[in-house]
Amino acid sequence: MIEWRLPWYARGPYDEVPPALERVLRRPSHDERAWQELWQLLATEGTSVSAASFAALPYLRDIVRAGETAAVDRALELAGAIVTGVHPRTTAPTTSSGPWRR
C-alpha cells in the first residue's frame, strides 16, 4: 500500500491519490477510470500541479519501466504535464500578446 503524508489542498486531503495510483499500478493498461482520476488529482483542472503531483512521479516512472505500451504513453503524458505544470491539451495562444509573448 502506498502511504504518504502531505498537506491538504483545495479538494481535500491528498489521501485520494494513493488508491488511484495503486489501481493503475495493478492494471496500468486497463483502468481508464483510475487514469482519469489521476489526471484530476495530479494535474488539477489542466492548469496546476501540487506536491502530490511530484510525489507521484516515481510511481509513473515505474509504470513506464514496466513497458506496457498504452500505459507507458499515459504515464509519460501525465508525468510531462506534471513537470511542465500544464495539461498537455492546453495550448498557448498563437498571438504575440499577453503572457506568452517573448
Side-chain angles (χ1 to χ4, degrees):
M1 178 180 209
I2 299 169
E3 292 185 30
W4 57 21
R5 297 268 188 242
L6 293 171
W8 285 56
Y9 69 126
R11 293 187 55 210
Y14 285 113
D15 60 358
E16 299 172 317
V17 177
L21 273 172
E22 288 172 355
R23 288 196 315 275
V24 166
L25 288 166
R26 277 194 303 269
R27 301 184 66 216
S29 294
H30 304 289
D31 197 334
E32 181 66 32
R33 177 177 268 162
W35 279 108
Q36 290 173 356
E37 187 177 349
L38 282 178
W39 270 101
Q40 291 172 347
L41 293 167
L42 302 178
T44 308
E45 298 177 7
T47 58
S48 65
V49 295
S50 65
S53 305
F54 290 97
L57 287 174
Y59 300 99
L60 295 174
R61 178 205 57 217
D62 292 346
I63 292 168
V64 171
R65 286 182 175 172
E68 289 185 42
T69 303
V72 166
D73 292 346
R74 288 177 171 194
L76 288 173
E77 183 180 16
L78 181 52
I82 291 167
V83 171
T84 61
V86 178
H87 190 289
R89 291 180 188 88
T90 303
T91 57
T94 57
T95 65
S96 60
S97 64
W100 299 98
R101 185 188 320 175
R102 292 183 185 216

